[in-house]
Amino acid sequence: MSFKENKTEITALGEFGLIKHLTKDNKIKHPETVKAVGDDAAVIDVGDKYMLVSTDLLLEGIHFDLTYMPLKHLGYKSIIVNLSDIYAMNGLAKQVTVSIGLSNRFGLEAVEELYKGITLACEQYNVDLVGGDTSSSRQGLIISVTAVGEISKEKVTYRSGAKFNDLLVVSGDLGGSFMGLQLLEREKSVFSENPEIQPDLGGNDYVLERQLKPEARKDIIEQFEQFQIKPTAMIDISDGLASEVIHICDQSGCGANIYDEKIPIDHTTYQLARDFELDPSVVALNGGEDYELLFTVAQSDYDKIKNNPHFTVIGHITDKASGINLIAKNGTSHELTAQGWDAFLRKEKGL
Ligand code: ADP
Ligand code: MG
């Protein structure tokens, strides 16, 4: 069979369109499969609890660049991005499997470094490495991690549970990881043009750490437990705030208003965005890889949220007909759209 005739470009569908297309006829055969494709993790009934399963693939040249990504950090980050999806279901991660594809560029020392990071993340987040697979690769490094977690049945939190008038809340601050990446990319291109020039990364530790050694918000899940906060819907912010707000609204069948002035941005991120002639709000909305949590809570939970320094209320849920809107600082309302990183950067730079 030739794939060349009648070829439909995948870019026309986009990542989410492609997943929908490929899984639209997926038939669930087992009653234990409570939630299949479509949330941050699959949910499986294992008796008195739900098991959570999530997987991610990281490819050299697509998801990471070893010119500036130390292998130990890469190992750490590859675990974090998966744990984040388990926390996004309000669960706790217990086990991971790690599969790697290695080209002959990598020696034992390199893989040992990668595993130092993997082991460190497993220690920090209290998860067991329980298996994986190892293969050679024609080109570059490939890492795939699967995380397994658990959650009591009444606490599982889907993307689909947001209700009219709920508050939209984010943990931490946004856009830092994206600015860290911009900084690293800039220094890489300066260096490739003139290897005599040393990288100028000083004073930007925060954004570099957000990009190179992110953390997943296990602490937030623990706080939900401690303060009896019941999120109605939740997603982790891996693709950018705008994209995740749209996911929650689409799957909950609702609209939302979010307020530009409320979006939490660290001062280092803000300043660096300005230096790069980027709008800090646009960076926070569309930059990815922050691994913070976006969730909704009923208004009655507001008192438990309002004085907690980890949480920022950025808006509220409306009805579907009202759409998904970003309210600008001057009060004007704009429909919220999600742009991929590349498209958004080209637009910002007028390319
Ligand atoms: P996240 O950003 O939270 O990791 P993704 O956007 O990668 O989530 O995936 C969205 C949903 O689609 C998830 O439920 C994921 O398991 C599912 N999914 C992604 N790729 C595939 C695929 N190739 N086949 C089946 N399901 C997929
Ligand atoms: Mg996710």
Side-chain angles (χ1 to χ4, degrees):
M1 179 179 166
S2 164
F3 293 108
K4 290 201 175 125
E5 295 149 24
N6 296 326
K7 183 180 161 210
T8 306
E9 290 299 334
I10 283 175
T11 44
L13 288 167
E15 180 193 341
F16 303 122
L18 176 64
I19 297 170
K20 255 193 189 145
H21 181 78
L22 295 176
T23 57
K24 66 179 188 303
D25 299 324
N26 184 32
K27 296 229 165 29
I28 301 307
K29 291 167 277 305
H30 300 285
E32 294 86 356
T33 308
V34 177
K35 178 80 198 177
V37 175
D39 219 299
D40 292 287
V43 179
I44 299 162
D45 192 335
V46 288
D48 57 342
K49 290 197 168 188
Y50 285 149
M51 180 168 80
L52 304 166
V53 183
S54 181
T55 196
D56 265 301
L57 180 62
L58 300 178
L59 301 177
E60 184 176 358
I62 305 285
H63 300 101
F64 58 88
D65 184 334
L66 291 174
T67 326
Y68 47 71
M69 184 69 166
L71 280 160
K72 184 175 170 186
H73 286 52
L74 178 62
Y76 192 88
K77 186 169 174 176
S78 67
I79 299 296
I80 293 307
V81 303
N82 275 273
L83 303 187
S84 179
D85 279 323
I86 301 292
Y87 302 140
M89 307 301 291
N90 204 15
L92 285 180
K94 291 277 171 82
Q95 291 90 12
V96 287
T97 63
V98 175
S99 300
I100 50 173
L102 299 164
S103 75
N104 58 12
R105 239 171 73 229
F106 299 92
L108 176 63
E109 294 74 13
V111 193
E112 280 176 349
E113 274 302 297
L114 184 75
Y115 265 72
K116 274 186 200 159
I118 289 173
T119 308
L120 181 62
C122 288
E123 272 165 26
Q124 302 266 327
Y125 287 83
N126 196 28
V127 295
D128 297 329
L129 171 64
V130 294
D133 198 13
T134 305
S135 168
S136 53
S137 139
R138 282 274 198 86
Q139 233 181 10
L141 177 61
I142 299 164
I143 309 170
S144 177
V145 176
T146 298
V148 178
E150 65 174 39
I151 176 78
S152 61
K153 288 184 178 177
E154 67 284 4
K155 290 198 173 134
V156 68
T157 308
Y158 298 105
R159 294 175 178 181
S160 58
K163 300 274 180 314
F164 183 73
N165 270 342
D166 280 358
L167 300 170
L168 262 166
V169 189
V170 290
S171 66
D173 56 75
L174 302 175
S177 181
F178 182 82
M179 287 320 303
L181 182 64
Q182 296 317 301
L183 192 64
L184 291 162
E185 288 282 351
R186 183 181 74 186
E187 294 314 313
K188 182 185 165 186
S189 64
V190 169
F191 183 76
S192 64
E193 275 161 32
N194 186 350
E196 303 291 307
I197 299 177
Q198 287 301 305
D200 175 18
L201 300 170
N204 291 302
D205 295 1
Y206 180 68
V207 295
L208 292 171
E209 199 159 307
R210 296 289 281 172
Q211 170 59 217
L212 297 175
K213 191 174 176 287
E215 303 293 349
R217 298 310 303 258
K218 176 171 183 259
D219 60 322
I220 299 293
I221 303 309
E222 289 162 351
Q223 290 194 35
F224 288 159
E225 180 80 24
Q226 187 184 347
F227 301 118
Q228 301 281 299
I229 297 165
K230 173 77 184 102
T232 50
M234 187 150 58
I235 186 169
D236 71 325
I237 306 179
S238 52
D239 294 332
L241 176 64
S243 168
E244 320 301 6
V245 170
I246 293 170
H247 280 312
I248 285 200
C249 289
D250 282 352
Q251 297 200 24
S252 300
C254 61
N257 284 342
I258 71 169
Y259 295 86
D260 189 1
E261 64 186 354
K262 304 280 187 203
I263 298 171
I265 304 173
D266 178 81
H267 69 275
T268 321
T269 307
Y270 189 95
Q271 195 48 52
L272 204 56
R274 285 267 177 250
D275 294 349
F276 273 75
E277 297 179 357
L278 297 169
D279 178 342
S281 298
V282 178
V283 166
L285 280 162
N286 295 294
E289 297 199 298
D290 289 311
Y291 301 107
E292 295 294 344
L293 294 170
L294 168 71
F295 59 97
T296 53
V297 288
Q299 299 260 357
S300 54
D301 265 355
Y302 179 60
D303 284 347
K304 298 175 192 166
I305 300 285
K306 68 179 180 197
N307 293 324
N308 187 321
H310 296 285
F311 298 136
T312 308
V313 177
I314 59 161
H316 59 268
I317 297 295
T318 60
D319 62 348
K320 193 176 169 71
S322 306
I324 308 170
N325 305 299
L326 176 69
I327 316 297
K329 292 185 178 97
N330 64 9
T332 55
S333 174
H334 309 264
E335 189 190 341
L336 190 68
T337 51
Q339 307 153 2
W341 290 22
D342 293 348
F344 136 66
L345 256 194
R346 278 199 299 277
K347 197 168 140 206
E348 282 286 310
K349 289 181 174 165
L351 300 173

